Amino acid sequence: MAITPIKELVDAAKAEITSLSQEEAETKVAAGEALFVDIRDPRELEREGRIAGAFHAPRGMLEFWIAPDSPYHKEALATDKTLILFCASAWRSALSVKALQDMGVENIAEMEGGFSTWKKRGAPIETA
């Protein structure tokens, strides 16, 4: 059995999810319509910085933190706001948005380009 190449999985996920441009995402968050959810590893946040106000939900805990019946549920993620997920380069976030959609989460999107593009375009970041 051959393993599906990761790029194919990401492309398939992106075909079924909402991807917002960096500017669209930033505008929705600024308007109070959305919440940035940073799914990067804690070491990435320490090394690269973070977007101010973004909720940190490590990829490995995301489904557990979203599910209301989970003992690990985080109330901050139980919101009517659109959850805009991002990682470093929008691969993990695409797969994560697809997984959450499959769970029944409707108010969900990802930010194109991820944190690396955010940083490259000079958008504001916080460093430790």
Side-chain angles (χ1 to χ4, degrees):
M1 178 173 104
I3 294 177
T4 304
I6 193 67
K7 185 73 171 99
E8 281 184 32
L9 288 176
V10 170
D11 289 346
K14 284 184 181 279
E16 295 186 37
I17 65 171
T18 300
S19 293
L20 301 174
S21 72
Q22 299 248 325
E23 295 77 12
E24 279 179 293
E26 198 171 9
T27 299
K28 286 182 176 293
V29 170
E33 300 168 9
L35 173 68
F36 276 134
V37 180
D38 189 338
I39 64 165
R40 294 176 299 151
D41 181 272
R43 291 168 298 224
E44 290 176 278
L45 275 67
E46 289 172 23
R47 188 173 59 242
E48 300 293 330
R50 55 188 301 150
I51 297 174
F55 184 84
H56 182 234
R59 173 65 192 106
M61 291 302 293
L62 194 56
E63 290 87 345
F64 297 99
W65 285 13
I66 286 275
D69 65 331
S70 166
Y72 303 103
H73 177 70
K74 298 289 185 194
E75 198 58 41
L77 298 174
T79 178
D80 290 336
K81 293 180 180 182
T82 299
L83 302 175
I84 302 175
L85 276 53
F86 68 91
C87 59
S89 60
W91 285 34
R92 286 173 287 177
S93 59
L95 297 177
S96 298
V97 169
K98 176 68 170 92
L100 296 182
Q101 271 184 197
D102 290 349
M103 286 176 68
V105 178
E106 295 175 359
N107 57 329
I108 190 91
E110 63 137 7
M111 181 174 68
E112 292 173 357
F115 187 78
S116 59
T117 298
W118 180 275
K119 199 171 176 178
K120 273 185 208 145
R121 69 183 187 84
I125 62 167
E126 292 179 335
T127 53

